[in-house]
Amino acid sequence: MSDFCTDAILLRKIEYGDHDYIITFLTRSRGKICVIAKNAKKSVKRFSGALDLFSVNHIQCTFPKKNKDALIILAQTDLENGFGNIRYDVFKTTYACYWVELIYLWLEEGKEQTELYDLLFFVLDMLNQSEIRMEVLSLLFQIRFMGISGFNPNLEACGTCSTPVDDIHQKNIYFDFKEGRILCHNCLKKKSGPESGSGSGSGSGYGMGVSKGTLKQLVWINTADLHRADRIKSSLFAIKEGEILLESFIPFHIGREFKSLKFLRQLRRER
Ligand SMILES: [Zn+2]
């Protein structure tokens, strides 16, 4: 196998011994890869930029010659975008950290994920340029991430009887985390049984009520042309509710807690 070059976003960097780093990248052509950057703490020439989290680099890698099971070696990096504006803002930095943590924890190594790479690049770039509200960007990233990763939730119609959101008569519709779908009042009642079907019925026991307006906003954010994303207008209420829904549903599905999300919640409380 020959050596390779690709664009890459840095997902994680850990120290290894006194001089080296082990780095995980989301690459444009090879999905997630883990590499060793030998002597990276000293070698400013080979590794331009500080190899910061979520920076975009053009990287050159070589496969280990002797021990085939050893890590791929990072030979050189050229910084393409350090997203400096994000780093001046603690909120923006935390959002960016959440997005890369999500990909790091979910994605297996070595599977090409061009669509995911382009999505992550898009939200980081927009966040850096302050083109779109960071809260809306995070909704956009999360809902599209779910589609790419194969657990696209059904937000458009009742998951059992297929009644479209517009024809469901309640203001708040139950979203079931386990099944990743909404349920109209009637179907929820049948599912929960007669004793527990009293309005805010429990479904699988993991879920929440979401307003119709928020569901429609999320569907729009998920399906609109990315290049028109700057036209997304969301009410503050829909943003807040969308945040609660996605930031609960995603950790539930992945089965992990996110350090960055915990910190983000703390920041919001202190604001
Ligand atoms: Zn139904």
Side-chain angles (χ1 to χ4, degrees), residues 158-163 168 182-188:
C158 172
T160 302
C161 69
S162 304
T163 306
I168 296 177
I182 52 172
L183 288 173
C184 75
H185 185 61
N186 289 339
C187 293
L188 180 62

Side-chain angles (χ1 to χ4, degrees), residues 2 5 13 37 68 84-85 145 159-160 166 180 189 191 231 251:
S2 62
C5 297
K13 178 175 87 176
K68 293 220 162 51
N85 296 336
F145 165 81
T160 302
D166 274 330
K189 234 158 90 179
K191 199 169 182 287
R231 298 192 198 173

Side-chain angles (χ1 to χ4, degrees), residues 17 39 46 86 123 164 226 266:
N39 244 335
R46 282 192 301 140
I86 298 178
V123 287
L226 263 194
Q266 191 186 328

